[in-house]
Amino acid sequence: MTDFNEMTTEDFRRHGYALVDWLADYLERVGEMNVLPQVEPGELRDMLADRAPEHPEDFEAISADLDRIVLPGLTNWASPGWFAFFPAAVSGPSILGDLAAAGLGQQGMLWATSPICTELETVVVDWVVDLLGLPSWWKTTDRGGGVIQQSASDAVHTALVVAREEATRRGAQPGRWVAYVSSQAHSSVEKGAKVAGFSHIRLIEVDDEYAMRIEALQDAVQADQDAGLVPAFVCSAVGTTATTAVDPVRAIGEIARPAGMWHHVDAAFAGNAMFCPEFRHHQDGLELADSYTVNPYKWTPVTFDGSLFYVADRRPLIQTLSVLPEYLRNQASESGQVIDYRDWHVALGRRFRSLKLWFVLRYYGAEGIRARLRANVEWAQQLAERVDEHPLLERVAPVPFSLVCLRHKDGNQATEALAQAINASGHSYVTPSRIDNLAFIRVSIAQMNTRRKHVERLWKLIEQAANPTDQST
Ligand code: PLP
């Protein structure tokens, strides 16, 4: 032990191996554990010390608390029975990529503070443009570019700030900017609009399939223009959170362009499906978009966190966010030959997130990722067919990807009871949801560890719980 109780490299090696073993055991056993923790609020807090330790502790004692305190408090997102929300992926290559990122201690705020953090990110996000069939000019080698932000919320916030500045550059007075988004889009758009200082946010109504009604958007834009307001931002959702509804991207783009609005596409979950060309028709019209978000962790083997944010033209983004204090000046930046990603989002400091993406893309290859996505969609379609054929169940929305939204025909109470019964099983976990006053259950089939047998097990449970008096199923 040194004066400062530093961990020797020898100890680091030993504890590191032990921790990787512990994690491997966890991942091996996670399918046998309850998806939800069996704890009451405050129970875990009571197990933790009231004060931070004054004296050093042994690493063995610290890591033993992973079993004693951390494990019982986990919601097991990695469970193959995870059908809730959208998932947060867990995969070996991605965990190791993140471990390497932590160990290398890079802070990539500028090219100069970590050339590899910047250049690897540029290359990997450009790879993804091709992998998802996005417009070729979104690459950094052309006039656009991508950056890894922490979350889709950060990305849409950024897009809104750029939209606001673009409107202002064209002469819009503060307080006159308007943002439009469907009533079914993720709440992060509304939140981002608030953070970006929009006082006018229009939640546009949706059609029977929960996609934005284009006439309603047109009318709202017209009404605002007539009232002297400035339409500045519109968001298309490719895969809403509640039902994965898809807004008409092209039609929205055709309204946005002449009105001078910034057009952002939120494909946080469903954008991952675009690894497979057969899903790309859902985002037809992307060439009319100004920015785009997809979160790999929601449906590829990349661990949480990270959101890819693309812009069709990087100049307005950099012009909006670039502030150069003296202490960040450096020769490389001044040469104009490098990217400084600090100018591409709100935060200055940035993690080396591209490493896990690079590991995953290389380890699985695009074909491995496509195979998994297609399997999830196939299982979801089969589940949807079973729901359609079942006398007591019904679907509430189309299934364009791998989210099935179903309800009990007996109404909201029966639907909520069904969700409760599924979640009480311990092995499967779904999200009960509501649109207006319609209760339904979201079954999201996208966890990396889920296999067909887990969907079968869930279906048996649904059948049983839908008709508790029938013992034959
Ligand atoms: N957009 C959609 C469609 C989502 O489903 C979500 C979260 O589930 C978000 C945005 C927000 O994502 P994040 O947690 O990365 O901010």
Side-chain angles (χ1 to χ4, degrees):
M1 195 187 288
T2 68
D3 287 345
F4 298 109
N5 193 32
E6 269 154 20
M7 188 180 275
T8 62
T9 48
E10 207 37 58
D11 283 349
F12 173 70
R13 221 182 281 281
R14 190 162 53 86
H15 297 312
Y17 290 148
L19 187 61
V20 170
D21 274 344
W22 185 86
L23 275 176
D25 288 346
Y26 168 72
L27 293 174
E28 215 163 51
R29 288 184 297 131
V30 68
E32 296 150 28
M33 298 175 184
N34 269 332
V35 184
L36 297 178
Q38 311 297 301
V39 289
E40 295 301 323
E43 199 179 317
L44 299 163
R45 193 194 164 106
D46 289 344
M47 296 166 80
L48 293 160
D50 287 339
R51 285 163 192 265
E54 181 63 24
H55 302 295
E57 294 184 42
D58 284 342
F59 194 79
E60 277 86 356
I62 301 169
S63 57
D65 280 347
L66 283 173
D67 281 311
R68 195 174 67 87
I69 305 175
V70 175
L71 264 191
L74 291 179
T75 298
N76 289 307
W77 286 70
S79 169
W82 184 273
F83 300 105
F85 307 105
F86 292 128
V90 175
S91 78
S94 192
I95 296 168
L96 296 175
D98 237 0
L99 177 64
L104 294 171
Q106 297 296 284
Q107 210 283 42
M109 59 188 176
L110 303 168
W111 178 90
T113 61
S114 178
I116 188 59
C117 181
T118 301
E119 295 197 12
L120 182 64
E121 183 158 334
T122 307
V123 168
V124 169
V125 296
D126 276 0
W127 279 2
V128 175
V129 169
D130 288 334
L131 290 171
L132 300 185
L134 303 174
S136 60
W137 60 93
W138 291 12
K139 284 190 191 175
T140 325
T141 46
D142 207 304
R143 66 175 191 273
V147 60
I148 309 178
Q149 299 228 1
Q150 184 185 338
S151 73
S153 303
D154 293 317
V156 74
H157 172 205
T158 307
L160 279 149
V161 172
V162 183
R164 185 193 72 198
E165 292 303 292
E166 285 286 276
T168 306
R169 276 178 212 126
R170 285 196 307 272
Q173 295 300 312
R176 301 217 150 248
W177 322 294
V178 191
Y180 305 83
V181 58
S182 104
S183 60
Q184 285 299 304
H186 191 264
S187 56
S188 56
V189 185
E190 202 179 333
K191 188 174 184 177
K194 283 187 187 175
V195 177
F198 280 73
S199 38
H200 306 285
I201 306 159
R202 310 279 182 244
L203 301 185
I204 305 298
E205 66 186 75
V206 291
D207 63 18
D208 293 347
E209 297 190 344
Y210 304 114
M212 189 191 280
R213 275 194 51 232
I214 205 70
E215 307 77 29
L217 174 66
Q218 184 83 69
D219 292 349
V221 169
Q222 187 65 56
D224 285 329
Q225 284 171 330
D226 292 346
L229 297 175
V230 180
F233 175 92
V234 62
C235 177
S236 293
V238 173
T240 58
T241 309
T243 65
T244 57
V246 178
D247 289 340
V249 176
R250 178 173 296 284
I252 293 172
E254 282 166 356
I255 293 175
R257 275 284 156 98
M261 286 191 271
W262 185 275
H263 180 198
H264 178 71
V265 177
D266 176 8
F269 168 73
N272 292 293
M274 310 309 160
F275 269 95
C276 309
E278 65 269 27
F279 295 107
R280 292 183 191 159
H281 64 95
H282 287 298
Q283 53 186 28
D284 171 59
L286 270 196
E287 71 276 13
L288 299 176
D290 295 297
S291 55
Y292 182 91
T293 307
V294 55
N295 286 17
Y297 70 81
K298 288 191 192 295
W299 203 9
T300 75
V302 178
T303 50
F304 183 77
D305 57 358
S307 181
L308 303 186
F309 176 61
Y310 289 98
V311 283
D313 180 351
R314 60 182 172 272
R315 283 170 310 179
L317 171 68
I318 294 173
Q319 195 182 349
T320 301
L321 295 183
S322 185
V323 178
L324 185 59
E326 202 51 42
Y327 48 80
L328 292 180
R329 284 188 187 280
N330 66 86
Q331 228 177 2
S333 298
E334 270 154 37
S335 76
Q337 289 181 335
V338 300
I339 290 179
D340 287 327
Y341 279 122
R342 71 183 184 101
D343 295 335
W344 293 54
H345 47 57
V346 175
L348 172 63
R350 55 201 329 274
R351 301 208 303 120
F352 197 174
R353 290 195 184 92
S354 58
L355 208 47
K356 62 183 174 186
L357 201 56
W358 191 47
F359 275 28
V360 163
L361 292 175
R362 294 178 63 185
Y363 185 84
Y364 294 96
E367 64 178 20
I369 294 174
R370 278 188 218 111
R372 203 182 283 269
L373 292 166
R374 286 182 176 133
N376 287 172
V377 174
E378 187 191 318
W379 303 335
Q381 301 298 337
Q382 285 165 355
L383 181 68
E385 278 166 28
R386 285 169 158 178
V387 171
D388 290 346
E389 286 162 10
H390 197 281
L392 296 175
L393 300 171
E394 62 190 0
R395 232 166 5 99
V396 303
V399 182
F401 306 106
S402 68
L403 175 74
V404 183
C405 297
L406 60 101
R407 67 185 251 112
H408 200 294
K409 284 185 180 167
D410 287 351
N412 285 356
Q413 243 184 337
T415 303
E416 277 155 12
L418 178 57
Q420 263 175 19
I422 297 168
N423 292 345
S425 73
H427 61 66
S428 296
Y429 181 41
V430 293
T431 318
S433 194
R434 234 170 228 260
I435 294 181
D436 300 326
N437 195 30
L438 188 79
F440 63 96
I441 298 170
R442 294 171 74 263
V443 178
S444 155
I445 304 177
Q447 223 306 327
M448 290 303 109
N449 297 325
T450 303
R451 298 288 178 272
R452 189 190 290 274
K453 65 181 180 187
H454 303 109
V455 183
E456 291 292 329
R457 182 177 64 180
L458 172 70
W459 172 244
K460 281 213 175 74
L461 181 57
I462 292 175
E463 272 193 307
Q464 261 165 20
N467 189 6
T469 52
D470 179 4
Q471 299 302 314
S472 64
T473 48

